[in-house]
Structures are given as structure tokens and as C-alpha cells.
Amino acid sequence: MDTSSVAGSMASSTQGDKDDVWPIFDAFLDLPHPAVSTSSEVNDRRIIIAPPQGEAFNRSRDVGMELATEQGLARVSAFCFPEFYAEAYAQEQAQKGTIALGPLSPKLNRFDMYIQDYMFSQKSFNGAYHLFAMQLASGQRVYGHVRRYYPHHLQTHGRIDVGRRGVRALVLLTRAAGGEDVYHALLKTVEALSSQRYSLDKSLQTQSRPQQNFLHEIHNEHTRLSRAYAASNEKALTFQALAITIKQMEVGNPTFQHVDYSSYLLPQSLLLPHEATEITSAPILPLLRCLGVSHTLRLFSALMCERRIVLVSQSTSRLSACASAATSILAQGLLHWQHIYIPILPPSMMNYLAAPMPYLIGVTANNASKIEKVQGLGEVLVVYLDENELQIHNIQRPDLMIPDILDRVEVDDPYQQQQMSSIADILKMDLVNVLRSDRRIIQGDSAGTGAAVVKEKGKDLLKRGFGKLKKVAKKQIEKSRNQNMPAGSAHGMAGPDPPVTVDEYEDDDEALQIYAYGEGFNNKVAEDEAKIAFAAFFLCLIGDMKLYLKPQNGGPPVFDKELFLQSREKLGDRKNGPLYAMLVHFKESQIFEMFVKARVAEIQARKQPAINAPYFSRSLTHHITRRIPFSGPEVRNILRQLSDSNPEKNFVQASTTIRKKVMALTSNNRPEHLARAELSKLAQDCRECGSILTEAMSVVWERIRDSKGMQWKHGYFALQLIYELILHGPIAAITEATDGLDKIRNLKFYSHMRSGIAQDMRALATSLYSLLVDRTKLFHMRRVCALRRMESNSSQRKPKANTNLRVRMRFHMMHALLKPGVSAVSPAPIVEDLLGNQPPQNVANPATSNPAVPKPQENNYGNDLLSMSFATPSPAPVVDVSKSFDNMNLSNVQPQPHPQPTVAQIPPNTAGSYAPQQQMYNQAPVQANPSQYNYPQQVQQNIAPNQYQQQGPTQQPASSQPNKKPSMQFDPFA
């Protein structure tokens, strides 16, 4: 698509109403790496998709006018690939004398990589998803959701493991804040649709532009939901009110709309007017997992004091997640970061670090060495997320400029020391409990009790013990060094750790051992607890507006900064305390000033918080209306009541339920007689790609990591679950499985003390890996599975006979109407005589007189009602299920006619593009591997799962081998 035409058409449009909801996206970009070769045989051109024509197109004029140009695309590309420095690369090529082979060259270069160089290398594959923010010339902030992926080679078509090509980036530009999970799911779906477009023949494709059609449907559904949400008075938080469902994505035939769909659960921030989306609701746990409690609160102190902060990490995903978490911590107190915010800083913009104003900027690890070389750097706090280290630059008094709110004041009286616990200490204890519950929920039953697990725990305990001793010695050395160090000599040194006891470090270290250098999980239960902890801290700190607002006669209240300090001092925050030192800087901050103005405006407007408002707003209204003091116990009790009554709790419970279900399906003791049905139900539940699918796949990767030794079934069942999802789940499941392709590849070389287990694991991993890299075969198999699901659903939707109908007609009347072959009626029943005596019965045979033994009936008119025979059918032959199907002697079995399979007729389409599909479905079914078979439903419960005994080429009858059981095989079509 021509970029100039898009920009011109957007520039000629008019601006939409500011009170409306922001569009779910303002522009979509599919950009190649800026230095890959431009050969049309290797890499595809860039793709630009605008919102659909109409009002949505007009409202995105600012974004299109500035970013849909050559200069704007270059800016976006710099944010998508922040580790690449174009100027340095051009100088490198000029020095080598090969400037013709530099960027925009048709010849292959080092940026055109094989799949093993990209996905199986930690240096290249350092994060598939990240978020960046940039400011337009009009002053509006635009967020870019980026997913970097490894595309198809234009010559190899269906296979992704052949050929060299460059990495590409999918970008969704939007002015709406929040919804990272939804945007990530949308980008995964777009990547899968692009893969289908390159894999299938054009005759099988129902849409020429599947990406554009999908995004336009998403945009239209979002507009419909936002209008319905605004018109609703009760703000009913149901799945239908918050979810977007897109049908006919793969096959494109209306017949398959019940089996070919995907859903995306939207957060409420994307359905509200854009003024309310300034308060972000990003997860806080990523920052807590990387830094622990102590360093997180030190960073929180720097944010409250509005300092210059630089986050450094090798992974762009971790960098953007922690930057969003930092602003989300402030958002729990309705504080909005008003200054420079760049989660990912390109190397060409390193001079932004010399800005004389506060900022929160993320820098990749390969550019971290350039921080000290920036001229006019100033006072900066550098946070290394991968190493969990804090460094200060050009700060003379770090204890005053960035106070440690956990620092304790030394008092001679030990009883008085215990009574000096501040709200910061309570916040620390709450966050420590959050990390404990986070670890307990995530681990589930995967901790195990085997010898290998006990050995690993012993190593961890030993390592932690030496680590504690090292920290204690390091603190003593730094303490003695700081006492003898003059002021102004702290440049470049590591920031001192908080002077707490050894026991207080224990919980942080335990959490860091799990999540360091890992993907982490979206634990919504622990996330809610973390937000409650910070909301309680802010309510105790600035919840009572009498602490900083001075009333005036006949006018609105006035913000008094000195009154705030005096009030906090009366509440126990002493002048020599660490929290008081932070409040001295906080009262002069811009975020506090904007907070006070917003609260005064709410009082004047008498505006009541909505049901979906943050915890701080609803709890503040509850305290004011009921005159409840802002103390610790009352605040936490009210916050927990609000959390329990929150309608969004149902969605959190749904994620927890899915996690438990996946844990059960991949555990060592899963019920095999229910596994097949539960896997099918799970695949349908995972049609919601925003949270449910991601939650399920996070458990799968954790199970694969914990598949050593006695826990080998975790990995084997996890591979079966991936098989089920990529064949019967949403199309985004293919992208989810591809993200862990390196983990599946490692299982191809699985080793175990029992050779049978290792062989089964390797075979299943090899089959799954081959299917994921051969996309043509995968998408054909998905269509066959969709056809089978449609046939199954059609048979289940047939109307059933009502067995509860009652015939209100006497027998002789029905007999006269039906007129059977004999005109005589049945004999009258035997009745007693006038004296009440019954006729004598035959007692010669005691067996016949026993009511427990029924008498055999003759085939006469009395027992053959309406001339129909009710003879008992002959029993079915019993098949010996202990023998494998491959080794059964079929020569002794009498052939029986089998019903021919019914081919579902697909109705013709008016567009005439489904004839090749009809021809494909009318062909003979795919011949499965004879070594892969499915056990009958009635005998699955008698066969133990995952048997590792090997069967030779010849096998004795089952009677001579009563304990011999067949080796486990997995049939994806079952």
C-alpha cells in the first residue's frame, strides 16, 4: 500500500469527537528489519492497514498524517528494533569498503538469518512482544504494541525452517492506554493469518487480505461494544458485553461459523472515554519479580520524588513490562506520570537522557555503556533489571535525594523501636505476602517430592545461605566505607541496600530464584493483591483530603503543602524518618499537584465513581460518605470487600479455573477415562485468546520445564495438550506454540533412565515439531478437524424424540384403530372367584414358582404385541483388549459390513471461491500412521497411560502375558 496516499487521505479528514472512545487501533504496520536485504525473492514488502473508511478513519487523521510517511515509518522502525543503530552500521560498512552491501541492499547480509540463529539463540530471541510510547507533534501520546516474528520465506511457502530471511515486526498504533494482553493476542492472530496466507494455495484462500479483514472486523465490533457499554446503565460485566467474537476466520464458510471463531476479552479501559484511560492498569508483578520488594520500593521512592530513572535490560519484553508496572504503581493512588515516558529508547535518541526534567526511560543492555558518555547526564538512577542492581550517577546525597522508605531510625529504647512501624513497613509485609502467594499459585503441584527435586532444593538452600553471608559482609564493608567517604564522591557506585536484617531478605530471594530470566505468568489473583497493597498505602497517605486542603470562605479549598507535612508529622512520620524525607520532595511534585486538582474538581462536580473505577476512588468515596478514618485495618477491610464485590472477579476466577484444569490434565495422576473429553473442552475454552489461552500455555511451558526424572509425564501430557490446541483450538494457538519451539525442540533429545519413556517423549516431540514447521500440512489438518467438529456438532443438534409423551387413549380403542393381523383381543386377565380364591398354580417345578427366576415366554400373540418380536438380541463378541490392534489376528474375525462415511456437503458460495475446498473435503480421508491408533472409549479406563514397555515384532497372546500392556500412542484426530 502506498504510504503517501494513506497519509494524504487521513490528513484531509476531520477530527472526531473527543468525548468518544479511542479507536482500538489507529494504524497497523508490518515492517521488515531496517537492515535486511530488499530482494523480492526473500523478504516481503511492508504492509500498512488503516481503520475502515468512515468515522473511524477520520478520527485517526493525526496518527496517519505523521506516522504513515517515510519519516514516520523510520521513527516507528527505530522503536521496533531498538538494538539496531543505523548510523553505526553504516559507518561499519563504510570502513569495510562494502557500503553497497549495507542496508537496502538486494544481497543477503548478516541480518538475514536461519531459524536456528534467531529462535534458538538467546542473543537474538530476547523478547517477542514489547510496548513503546511516542509523542506526536500535536502533543498526543501514541502507544505502539510490537510483536517481532520470523516470517515465511517467499520461495519455500509452507515451511518455516528453510531459507534465510530477516525478522519483521507487527505494530498496532493506538492512543488508548492499557489492554496489553488483548493487543498481544490480536498480533498473534494476525501473525497466524499471515502464515496461513503464505502456506495454502490461493484456490483454498477465501480472502485476499485476511489481515485487513480481521482488523476491520475487530474495529467494527469494538465500536459496537463501546456504544452498547456507554448506553448501559448497570455496566453489566458479562462476557458478551466485554468480548469480541470473530467468526469464519480460517475456512471462511458460514457453515463452519460454530467451529471457526476466536474471542477476545476487552478490559474496561478500552471501552471508556479517553480521558479515563490515562490511569493505566498494567500488571505490577513483573517489576516485583525482577527487583524484589526492597528494590521495588526504592524505585517507587524515586518515582514519588520525580527523579530521572533509567531501566536497563537485555529483553525488550521485560523492559517494557517493568516500565508499565512502574507507572501502574502510581496509578493505584490516581497519580499520573506527567513527564517523559519512553519504555524503549532507540540508540539514535540517547541524547534524551540529558533532558533537564524528570523521565522514565528504558534502554537495552547493548546500549547501556553509552549512558555515562551522554553529555550533561545529570542526576540519574539506573536500574539493572536482569542483575537486580541499582546504581546512581552524579547524586551527592542519595539518602536525601532518593530516600529509602524502609530505612529504620535507630532508637535506644527497643519497645519504642517496635512501635515505630510506618505505613511503608506495612506495605513491605503486604508485598512479601503477595510474592509468597504468587509462588504458591504458580508452582501448584509441580514442586514434587522426588530425589531430584530434594537435591535441587538442597542446592538452593546452600546457595541462599552463602548469599546471605555475602550480603551481610558487603553491607558492613559499604557501611564502613560510606562513613569515611566525603560528600560528592558517590558517582558510579552501587546504591546501598536498605539496612535491614537477614531474615527480611529471605522472601525476596525465594521469589527471585523463580522468575529471574524467565517469562513469568499473568497471575491475576496475586496481581489483585498487589494493587490492594499499594491502594491501601496511598489511602493512608493521601486519602484524607483534610491533610492538605485548607477550606476558604465562599470558595473552593486551597492546596496547602506545609499543612500536609504538619499533618503527616502528627500522624507519626517523624522528621528524621525515611518516609518524611520522601514526603518533602513529594509535596513539591507535579504529580501530587495534578492529583489535588482532580480531587477538588470531583468534589465540585459531586461525581460518583463508577463500578469499574480503581480501588482508590471507590474506597475514598466509601470512607468519606460513612466517615470512616483512614487507618490501616479499616482501609484494608474495605478494599477487600470492594475486591470481593467486583464483577471482574468472575474473569479472575475463570483464569484460575483454567490454570487448575491444565494442571490436572498434565499431572501424573490425571484420570485417563476423562482426559479425551476434558482436552476437547479445554480447546474450546481456549477460544478466548486474550487471557484463557495465554494462561493455559503458561502452565504448559512450566510443565515442560519440570519434566525431568519422575516428572516425565508433565512434559508428555503438555505436548499432547499443545497437539490438541494447534489442531482444535484457535488459530492463535499456532503462534503460542511457535514461541516455545525451542522448548519442543529440546524434547526431541530427551533422556531418561528408562529407554521406553525417552523414546515416547522423543517421538511425540518430533511429530509436534515437524507439524509446527510444516504449515501447509498443519492448516490442512486444521480444516479436516474443523469438518469433523462441525459434523459432530450437527449430530448433537438433531431434535430428539420426547419420551415423556403420554397417550390418553384406552387400550381397546387403540387396538381397534391399529387393527393387528388377528382380530381377536388378548385374553382377559385372571381374576379371583367370588369367594376370593385364586386358581391353583403349577408347583411341580420349584424353579418356575420362584419369582426371582422369570419363566421363559413363548412367541405368541400374548407376548408379541402388535405382531412385533421382542426377542433379546444376541450378545456382542468379547474382544480381548489386552492385545494391540496392530498384532490382532484378523483372519479369525468374520467380516462385517461397515457404514460408509458421510461426506458433509458444503453449500456453494456466491463468490465461487469454495469449489476447491469442496473438492478437498470430498477426497478420501487422510491415512493416519498405522502405528498411531486410538483406544476405544469403553477400554480406555482399563489401560494405564504412558506405558513405557517395549513390544517386539512378535507378541504372544494376551493370556500368556497378563501384565503386558501396549505402548502409548497419541492420535491427534481422536
Side-chain angles (χ1 to χ4, degrees):
M1 183 181 295
D2 188 10
T3 59
S4 60
S5 62
V6 174
S9 59
M10 286 186 176
S12 61
S13 58
T14 59
Q15 188 176 4
D17 188 7
K18 294 183 179 180
D19 296 334
D20 291 339
V21 181
W22 287 126
I24 194 170
F25 76 97
D26 295 305
F28 169 80
L29 308 174
D30 188 356
L31 303 176
H33 193 279
V36 297
S37 59
T38 59
S39 175
S40 59
E41 299 179 356
V42 178
N43 297 300
D44 200 356
R45 66 185 188 280
R46 62 192 179 193
I47 302 174
I48 302 176
I49 299 177
Q53 296 289 339
E55 180 183 357
F57 192 87
N58 299 333
R59 294 168 60 191
S60 303
R61 60 179 297 272
D62 294 338
V63 179
M65 181 175 59
E66 187 168 345
L67 298 181
T69 59
E70 293 294 337
Q71 185 178 1
L73 292 176
R75 290 179 57 190
V76 175
S77 180
F79 284 101
C80 296
F81 304 96
E83 70 281 352
F84 176 74
Y85 192 18
E87 297 180 2
Y89 181 71
Q91 295 177 2
E92 176 186 351
Q93 296 297 321
Q95 293 177 0
K96 293 181 179 180
T98 58
I99 191 63
L101 301 181
L104 305 181
S105 173
K107 297 184 179 180
L108 296 178
N109 52 43
R110 59 187 174 94
F111 294 98
D112 296 299
M113 298 178 292
Y114 292 102
I115 187 174
Q116 58 267 21
D117 298 331
Y118 173 69
M119 301 195 69
F120 305 149
S121 175
Q122 295 296 333
K123 295 182 180 180
S124 301
F125 193 68
N126 60 355
Y129 173 82
H130 69 267
L131 172 70
F132 71 86
M134 57 188 304
Q135 194 170 4
L136 300 178
S138 60
Q140 293 182 346
R141 179 178 292 178
V142 175
Y143 299 93
H145 300 268
V146 182
R147 174 174 174 81
R148 296 195 292 188
Y149 72 104
Y150 194 64
H152 280 256
H153 196 281
L154 298 183
Q155 301 297 322
T156 58
H157 300 288
R159 298 197 64 89
I160 66 172
D161 59 339
V162 180
R164 294 173 56 188
R165 61 270 195 197
V167 183
R168 299 180 67 91
L170 302 175
V171 189
L172 274 173
L173 298 174
T174 178
R175 287 167 290 178
E180 288 82 1
D181 295 339
V182 177
Y183 284 106
H184 196 186
L186 294 178
L187 292 175
K188 291 177 182 177
T189 306
V190 171
E191 179 184 348
L193 291 175
S194 177
S195 178
Q196 183 188 28
R197 173 173 168 264
Y198 287 104
S199 301
L200 296 180
D201 189 75
K202 292 184 178 180
S203 59
L204 298 177
Q205 299 180 11
T206 59
Q207 301 174 355
S208 59
R209 296 178 179 179
Q211 299 174 342
Q212 179 176 343
N213 296 339
F214 170 73
L215 291 175
H216 283 182
E217 290 183 8
I218 288 290
H219 190 283
N220 296 334
E221 286 294 318
H222 171 260
T223 303
R224 182 187 62 82
L225 282 181
S226 60
R227 292 176 180 175
Y229 187 82
S232 176
N233 296 326
E234 299 179 355
K235 298 291 187 299
L237 298 179
T238 60
F239 184 83
Q240 291 76 11
L242 298 178
I244 294 177
T245 301
I246 306 298
K247 300 181 179 180
Q248 307 175 28
M249 297 176 56
E250 293 184 67
V251 182
N253 195 316
T255 309
F256 292 84
Q257 60 180 348
H258 297 289
V259 296
D260 181 17
Y261 67 93
S262 295
S263 301
Y264 306 89
L265 185 62
L266 300 181
Q268 300 178 67
S269 60
L270 297 181
L271 299 175
L272 296 173
H274 57 82
E275 288 85 2
T277 60
E278 294 181 355
I279 303 300
T280 179
S281 58
I284 301 176
L285 282 178
L287 187 62
L288 282 171
R289 292 166 176 173
C290 288
L291 298 181
V293 176
S294 300
H295 284 175
T296 298
L297 294 182
R298 193 69 182 271
L299 175 61
F300 169 67
S301 177
L303 291 171
M304 296 284 285
C305 298
E306 292 187 340
R307 301 303 175 196
R308 301 180 183 89
I309 304 172
V310 178
L311 305 179
V312 179
S313 177
Q314 183 181 358
S315 172
T316 55
S317 299
R318 184 181 295 114
L319 201 58
S320 62
C322 292
S324 301
T327 59
S328 182
I329 289 176
L330 295 178
Q332 304 313 311
L334 301 184
L335 302 176
H336 180 59
W337 184 256
Q338 303 286 338
H339 309 286
I340 299 177
Y341 174 67
I342 308 177
I344 306 291
L345 184 69
S348 58
M349 301 172 60
M350 292 295 292
N351 55 350
Y352 274 63
L353 298 179
M357 61 189 65
Y359 54 72
L360 177 61
I361 296 178
V363 178
T364 55
N366 58 337
N367 298 321
S369 59
K370 303 176 183 178
I371 296 177
E372 297 181 357
K373 300 178 183 179
V374 176
Q375 297 181 358
L377 181 62
E379 301 175 349
V380 177
L381 171 66
V382 183
V383 182
Y384 293 91
L385 301 174
D386 299 338
E387 294 81 9
N388 190 17
E389 294 182 359
L390 305 180
Q391 290 187 3
I392 54 178
H393 295 270
N394 303 328
I395 298 180
Q396 297 181 358
R397 294 291 303 275
D399 55 337
L400 297 179
M401 300 300 295
I402 308 177
D404 182 11
I405 60 177
L406 296 181
D407 193 6
R408 293 182 178 272
V409 182
E410 296 183 0
V411 181
D412 297 335
D413 188 3
Y415 178 77
Q416 188 178 2
Q417 179 73 28
Q418 295 179 359
Q419 299 297 324
M420 291 180 61
S421 298
S422 63
I423 57 177
D425 297 328
I426 300 176
L427 175 62
K428 179 207 167 183
M429 291 187 293
D430 290 343
L431 295 180
V432 167
N433 293 330
V434 166
L435 286 180
R436 283 178 176 174
S437 63
D438 182 40
R439 179 180 182 179
R440 183 168 54 252
I441 292 175
I442 287 177
Q443 277 189 338
D445 60 348
S446 63
T449 57
V453 178
V454 174
K455 180 180 179 181
E456 294 295 332
K457 288 184 177 180
K459 289 182 179 180
D460 293 340
L461 291 175
L462 186 62
K463 187 184 300 183
R464 285 171 48 198
F466 282 105
K468 292 176 183 177
L469 294 176
K470 184 179 178 181
K471 288 182 179 180
V472 172
K474 183 179 179 181
K475 287 192 298 182
Q476 295 294 334
I477 295 174
E478 290 181 353
K479 184 176 180 180
S480 60
R481 185 181 300 173
N482 293 334
Q483 291 177 355
N484 301 326
M485 183 177 297
S489 60
H491 174 73
M493 62 172 292
D497 290 330
V500 295
T501 59
V502 178
D503 295 336
E504 293 174 350
Y505 277 97
E506 180 177 357
D507 301 293
D508 301 346
D509 296 340
E510 290 181 355
L512 290 175
Q513 290 175 5
I514 305 175
Y515 302 107
Y517 312 102
E519 297 92 353
F521 295 90
N522 189 11
N523 190 351
K524 295 184 178 181
V525 177
E527 181 65 37
D528 190 62
E529 293 293 331
K531 291 181 178 180
I532 289 177
F534 279 104
F537 174 82
F538 281 115
L539 284 170
C540 296
L541 183 66
I542 56 177
D544 192 357
M545 289 183 284
K546 297 179 182 179
L547 302 180
Y548 47 82
L549 289 180
K550 181 181 295 186
Q552 286 188 347
N553 297 329
V558 180
F559 178 37
D560 192 344
K561 301 178 182 179
E562 298 300 329
L563 177 62
F564 176 66
L565 290 180
Q566 296 174 5
S567 303
R568 291 306 310 175
E569 186 177 359
K570 293 179 181 179
L571 293 176
D573 297 333
R574 300 188 177 184
K575 290 186 177 181
N576 58 347
L579 186 60
Y580 188 89
M582 185 194 74
L583 297 179
V584 171
H585 300 285
F586 176 67
K587 71 180 180 64
E588 303 292 340
S589 63
Q590 186 177 356
I591 58 176
F592 191 29
E593 182 179 357
M594 298 300 295
F595 168 82
V596 175
K597 290 182 179 180
R599 302 290 78 74
V600 172
E602 289 180 358
I603 294 176
Q604 294 177 348
R606 298 182 181 274
K607 183 179 180 181
Q608 296 294 329
I611 191 175
N612 53 5
Y615 288 140
F616 185 91
S617 299
R618 289 184 288 166
S619 180
L620 182 63
T621 304
H622 188 86
H623 279 269
I624 293 176
T625 54
R626 291 167 175 79
R627 300 182 181 274
I628 301 176
F630 291 88
S631 59
E634 288 80 2
V635 168
R636 279 163 179 77
N637 293 335
I638 294 176
L639 285 173
R640 296 196 180 279
Q641 292 177 5
L642 294 175
S643 175
D644 295 337
S645 62
N646 191 1
E648 288 186 348
K649 203 77 173 180
N650 298 331
F651 305 133
V652 176
Q653 185 64 28
S655 300
T656 306
T657 303
I658 287 296
R659 173 175 292 276
K660 293 180 180 179
K661 182 181 292 187
V662 178
M663 281 282 190
L665 288 175
T666 56
S667 64
N668 294 335
N669 301 322
R670 78 172 187 182
E672 281 302 314
H673 63 286
L674 300 176
R676 181 72 261 174
E678 291 298 328
L679 285 175
S680 180
K681 293 179 182 179
L682 180 65
Q684 297 305 315
D685 293 338
C686 290
R687 290 281 173 179
E688 199 287 305
C689 306
S691 58
I692 301 299
L693 177 62
T694 306
E695 193 79 15
M697 293 302 298
S698 64
V699 180
V700 167
W701 301 131
E702 176 65 20
R703 288 299 202 182
I704 290 179
R705 187 190 64 84
D706 185 35
S707 60
K708 297 180 181 180
M710 300 296 294
Q711 310 295 335
W712 64 272
K713 289 185 180 181
H714 291 176
Y716 193 91
F717 291 155
L719 293 179
Q720 288 186 357
L721 183 56
I722 297 176
Y723 234 121
E724 183 74 18
L725 289 177
I726 65 175
L727 291 181
H728 300 277
I731 193 172
I734 300 176
T735 309
E736 291 277 3
T738 306
D739 288 344
L741 194 62
D742 57 332
K743 302 178 180 62
I744 300 175
R745 178 175 174 268
N746 293 335
L747 292 181
K748 292 171 59 178
F749 313 98
Y750 184 80
S751 60
H752 196 271
M753 61 184 299
R754 297 179 178 178
S755 59
I757 294 176
Q759 185 176 357
D760 291 343
M761 184 77 76
R762 293 173 187 173
L764 186 56
T766 302
S767 176
L768 181 58
Y769 180 86
S770 302
L771 188 60
L772 284 173
V773 298
D774 190 356
R775 294 301 172 83
T776 302
K777 179 181 178 181
L778 174 58
F779 284 110
H780 277 288
M781 292 178 64
R782 283 182 61 86
R783 295 198 171 197
V784 173
C785 293
L787 178 62
R788 296 187 177 183
R789 292 197 307 272
M790 184 194 67
E791 294 176 349
S792 176
N793 294 342
S794 300
S795 61
Q796 294 178 1
R797 289 196 297 266
K798 289 183 179 179
K800 297 182 179 179
N802 190 356
T803 58
N804 297 325
L805 293 179
R806 296 181 179 180
V807 180
R808 301 181 179 276
M809 185 179 297
R810 295 183 179 275
F811 176 76
H812 68 278
M813 298 177 62
M814 181 183 294
H815 183 273
L817 291 175
L818 295 178
K819 295 181 180 180
V822 182
S823 59
V825 297
S826 58
I830 301 175
V831 296
E832 302 177 346
D833 55 8
L834 296 178
L835 299 179
N837 299 323
Q838 296 182 355
Q841 299 180 359
N842 185 14
V843 295
N845 189 0
T848 58
S849 62
N850 189 0
V853 181
K855 180 180 180 180
Q857 299 178 354
E858 299 180 357
N859 191 10
N860 53 18
Y861 181 79
N863 58 31
D864 187 8
L865 185 62
L866 304 182
S867 299
M868 299 177 60
S869 177
F870 291 91
T872 305
S874 59
V878 180
V879 182
D880 191 356
V881 299
S882 62
K883 297 187 294 182
S884 172
F885 289 164
D886 296 338
N887 299 323
M888 288 179 64
N889 187 5
L890 302 179
S891 59
N892 298 329
V893 181
Q894 296 296 331
Q896 298 181 1
H898 295 277
Q900 297 297 328
T902 303
V903 179
Q905 298 296 332
I906 302 177
N909 191 359
T910 57
S913 58
Y914 301 115
Q917 286 187 358
Q918 179 67 30
Q919 182 180 2
M920 182 190 69
Y921 289 125
N922 289 334
Q923 293 176 358
V926 180
Q927 295 295 334
N929 188 359
S931 62
Q932 296 181 352
Y933 52 85
N934 183 29
Y935 295 112
Q937 182 68 24
Q938 63 269 19
V939 301
Q940 280 188 356
Q941 57 185 357
N942 298 328
I943 301 178
N946 300 295
Q947 296 299 322
Y948 46 80
Q949 291 88 349
Q950 298 297 315
Q951 295 183 356
T954 59
Q955 185 178 358
Q956 298 296 330
S959 58
S960 61
Q961 297 179 359
N963 297 327
K964 194 71 173 181
K965 298 180 181 179
S967 60
M968 183 172 185
Q969 299 290 342
F970 178 67
D971 184 8
F973 287 101

